[in-house]
Amino acid sequence: KAAHPHVKLINMYGITETTVHVTFKEIDDEHVKNDTSNIGVPIPTTTTYILDEGLRLLPVGVPGEICVGGDGVCRGYLERDELTRRRFVVNPYKPEERIYRSGDLGKLLPTGEMVYMGRNDDQVQIRGFRVEPGEVQSQLLTHPLITRAEVIAKTMHHGAVELVAYVVASGTVSVTELRAHVASALPHYMVPSVFVFIDAMPLTANGKVDRAALPSPDMSRDNLEQNFVAPRTPEEKLIAAIWKELLGREEVSVHDNFFELGGHSLLATQVVSRVRDSLHAELPLAALFESPTVAGLAQAVLANKTEPDDLRDILSELAELSEEESELSWHE
């Protein structure tokens, strides 16, 4: 595009099983800049649908499977009857024709054009929710300082699958800012647990992202923005120890944010449960969301703590009272 600005670039989405060409879209400078895969509208001899698993039409903006009908749809796979039955199905809106279930994910734009979002076998389960990493990637690319992004699912040290975002930035941007940017458009379970900043995206020989060459997430302190401050009080030390075990961290500062360390709602439940058992503090789950640092949670613990020693002192005083006074004191 840069070398030959007068030449039109036409993006043609194609599938072998539908005789190659399905849709077309002229690509302008904005599409190149945003690195979005707008595949446009069907060519005159094909029809396209965005359908859910039950082959029902999906509204604008909702990701689903791209299904193709029309003159280009082939008969099926040679000597692969079962695969043919799964992929070439009756069109629920035109029973006289068959449509091909592509296995590709896409969504409709208000203009009637489609955006290609990757394969539906790239979908992952994150804490019980089905997530399409390509949707998270698209949201990251809307940030003005992010030039390239790749989002993949990785099994972390605690055995849970988490989203890891690899980003190439044209300027200085913080993890906190990127988390907020993703959260502004997507639900909490789609916010990556880890962000990895790299100078350039590794590519394969044909120009696609080489996922195998992406570096492992850096879980050390060097990847955090805050300076390290060691836990000072017994409460802070115990909370930090719980975080280190659950999050797989060697060190935890009193000012580290639980969620920026890779924490999420399920781990938050474990933190609150362990704090209750270890520090005798009746904390609601909301306490960690309201005070997501070690120091903040320690203060919440102190405010909600029931000291066993205090209870023993009260019982000792009651033991010295007469039966009548004791009943009155217990009542009070």
Side-chain angles (χ1 to χ4, degrees):
K1 183 68 175 176
H4 304 282
H6 61 286
V7 175
K8 289 185 177 181
L9 296 182
I10 308 299
N11 184 21
M12 297 198 75
Y13 168 69
I15 309 170
T16 302
E17 291 88 343
T18 59
T19 323
V20 183
H21 293 129
V22 176
T23 69
F24 70 101
K25 168 67 180 176
E26 182 175 349
I27 301 301
D28 58 24
D29 292 337
E30 192 65 23
H31 294 108
V32 174
K33 178 182 176 182
N34 292 335
D35 197 26
T36 56
S37 187
N38 186 324
I39 58 176
V41 296
I43 62 176
T45 55
T46 64
T47 55
T48 57
Y49 308 85
I50 304 294
L51 304 178
D52 65 9
E53 293 180 354
L55 298 181
R56 293 167 295 196
L57 285 170
L58 291 170
V60 170
V62 177
E65 184 176 13
I66 300 174
C67 296
V68 182
D71 294 340
V73 177
C74 71
R75 297 180 181 179
Y77 296 106
L78 182 62
E79 297 179 355
R80 299 186 68 183
D81 294 340
E82 178 58 30
L83 184 59
T84 296
R85 279 193 293 271
R86 290 204 311 267
R87 289 298 189 182
F88 295 85
V89 300
V90 174
N91 186 340
Y93 304 101
K94 275 187 180 181
E96 69 275 13
E97 79 166 11
R98 291 191 305 166
I99 57 174
Y100 174 68
R101 301 187 65 168
S102 69
D104 290 333
L105 281 175
K107 66 179 178 182
L108 278 175
L109 298 176
T111 60
E113 297 173 336
M114 292 186 297
V115 173
Y116 174 80
M117 301 176 64
R119 295 287 300 169
N120 61 8
D121 48 19
D122 287 338
Q123 288 186 338
V124 294
Q125 291 282 338
I126 302 294
R127 301 188 288 281
F129 296 95
R130 181 175 294 178
V131 173
E132 169 51 51
E135 194 171 359
V136 184
Q137 175 185 339
S138 297
Q139 175 59 15
L140 281 170
L141 289 171
T142 64
H143 191 284
L145 293 179
I146 300 303
T147 59
R148 295 294 299 268
E150 187 72 16
V151 178
I152 63 175
K154 278 185 173 289
T155 301
M156 307 303 280
H157 71 280
H158 46 69
V161 176
E162 302 289 350
L163 292 179
V164 178
Y166 293 86
V167 294
V168 178
S170 61
T172 302
V173 59
S174 68
V175 171
T176 302
E177 184 179 345
L178 289 181
R179 287 179 60 86
H181 182 72
V182 175
S184 68
L186 299 175
H188 66 89
Y189 55 84
M190 296 183 72
V191 178
S193 297
V194 181
F195 288 83
V196 180
F197 293 90
I198 53 180
D199 295 330
M201 203 67 70
L203 303 177
T204 62
N206 61 1
K208 295 184 178 181
V209 174
D210 186 355
R211 294 188 171 188
L214 290 169
S216 297
D218 181 8
M219 305 302 285
S220 67
R221 283 223 56 83
D222 295 337
N223 198 36
L224 299 176
E225 299 171 20
Q226 303 90 350
N227 293 324
F228 180 77
V229 177
R232 300 150 295 194
T233 67
E235 289 79 13
E236 288 181 351
K237 291 177 181 177
L238 192 140
I239 292 171
I242 293 173
W243 287 22
K244 285 192 287 186
E245 180 182 350
L246 292 178
L247 299 173
R249 294 279 181 175
E250 294 182 2
E251 291 181 323
V252 172
S253 169
V254 297
H255 300 306
D256 285 342
N257 186 298
F258 177 75
F259 300 101
E260 290 181 6
L261 293 180
H264 51 73
S265 55
L266 293 183
L267 287 179
T269 302
Q270 295 187 48
V271 168
V272 172
S273 176
R274 294 191 187 191
V275 167
R276 285 172 181 163
D277 295 340
S278 303
L279 292 172
H280 308 285
E282 286 300 321
L283 288 178
L285 181 59
L288 184 53
F289 289 88
E290 295 168 357
S291 304
T293 65
V294 170
L297 191 60
Q299 290 298 315
V301 165
L302 292 174
N304 293 275
K305 195 171 183 181
T306 302
E307 291 285 356
D309 291 339
D310 292 346
L311 181 58
R312 280 194 290 271
D313 291 341
I314 294 171
L315 292 174
S316 297
E317 292 176 11
L318 288 172
E320 296 174 2
L321 299 174
S322 66
E323 183 176 352
E324 182 179 350
E325 291 172 324
S326 179
E327 289 176 354
L328 179 59
S329 298
W330 277 113
H331 177 69
E332 291 174 343

